[in-house]
Amino acid sequence: MRRVLVTGASRGIGAAVAAAFAGRGDRVAVHYGFDRGRAEQTLKGLAGTGHALVGGDLADPGAAREVVAVAVQELGGVDVLVNNAAVAPGAGNRHPIEGTSYDQWQRAWRTMVDVDLLGAVNVTYGVANHLIERGAPGSIVNVGSRGAYRGEPDHPAYGAAKAALHAFGQSMAVALAPYRIAVTSVAPGFIATERQRAKLDGPEGAAVAGQSPFGRVGTPEEVAAAVLHLSSPEAAWSSGAVLDLNGASYLR
């Protein structure tokens, strides 16, 4: 049994990751930023017992530190961290360089970098030092994005933050290996979360599914399966890797 902190676990990929760990007998700290109600639903649906609910806006460095402290207290320690929390691309936060005001441009970049990159950086700092102080091995998995490579012209801050997250993970893989802490990342393509349901059911849906030669998009459970593997002791030799999860929709 391991103790696992999953950030952004109230829905979508994070909820699927939390369920996957709980299903194998681990105890999970379900983190949420603002939607406590959805996080409570996720928590109630987890198999097993001993799970915890942890709230905090990761854009706030003090809150990020507190999230780690509460997870450690509630679970009795943290062995695995999954950095999943992110401000995801959507119609409400589009910021193409043409047609976006300078104030909107600044807000979009600040918001996405603060959560998608620096939130993960600060939580990683807390969990890594917790593991080092314990002298315990551990695992950190970052949820990045295909957009880091393919580009996000309507959401450039998202693509840049995720590319930086991949690079941060590789730096930490080198820094933390002497402490037996493995660090990896996954780079999902389009995933069928409920947030994307309207787009998939709308006129764009067929084109989005057609990006992959499989003729479909990925599922949160497929991402969760990859995270579960990469966090396992057997996958420690993968430390530093970034695993593409996009159904051959983008090759590099």
Side-chain angles (χ1 to χ4, degrees):
M1 184 276 295
R2 295 183 298 172
R3 286 90 39 105
V4 186
L5 169 58
V6 183
T7 68
S10 61
R11 66 177 71 201
I13 291 172
V17 169
F21 278 106
R24 67 178 299 280
D26 295 324
R27 294 173 59 202
V28 182
V30 174
H31 163 263
Y32 68 94
F34 300 99
D35 195 346
R36 182 183 177 93
R38 290 303 304 268
E40 288 176 339
Q41 291 179 26
T42 297
L43 186 71
K44 290 177 183 177
L46 297 182
T49 59
H51 309 301
L53 195 67
V54 184
D57 178 6
L58 298 186
D60 176 353
R65 172 182 284 180
E66 185 66 14
V67 163
V68 175
V70 173
V72 168
Q73 180 179 1
E74 293 294 318
L75 298 180
V78 171
D79 306 300
V80 178
L81 166 64
V82 181
N83 282 313
N84 172 71
V87 178
N93 55 25
R94 289 179 70 255
H95 53 283
I97 194 165
E98 182 181 9
T100 298
S101 73
Y102 191 62
D103 286 345
Q104 291 172 323
W105 179 260
Q106 291 295 311
R107 282 196 300 273
W109 277 88
R110 187 74 273 162
T111 299
M112 287 188 164
V113 170
D114 280 352
V115 177
D116 299 13
L117 175 60
L118 297 181
V121 165
N122 291 331
V123 174
T124 296
Y125 178 91
V127 171
N129 278 284
H130 163 70
L131 288 166
I132 291 169
E133 289 167 7
R134 285 171 48 207
S139 178
I140 299 170
V141 183
N142 299 314
V143 179
S145 173
R146 173 186 69 174
Y149 306 109
R150 186 172 179 260
E152 293 283 354
D154 288 337
H155 301 88
Y158 179 80
K162 290 298 191 179
L165 183 62
H166 294 169
F168 170 69
Q170 291 180 318
S171 294
M172 290 300 98
V174 177
L176 296 175
Y179 302 99
R180 298 175 298 151
I181 301 169
V183 185
T184 54
S185 300
V186 295
F190 203 99
I191 302 297
T193 61
E194 71 178 60
R195 181 178 288 158
Q196 301 290 358
R197 181 50 53 197
K199 186 171 186 177
L200 291 172
D201 290 342
E204 297 179 80
V208 172
Q211 292 174 6
S212 167
F214 286 95
R216 66 173 180 87
V217 299
T219 69
E221 290 73 23
E222 287 173 318
V223 179
V227 170
L228 203 65
H229 167 67
L230 288 174
S231 71
S232 68
E234 294 79 11
W237 207 240
S238 297
S239 193
V242 181
L243 177 61
D244 291 330
L245 297 171
N246 64 55
S249 65
Y250 184 78
L251 305 178
R252 60 185 173 91

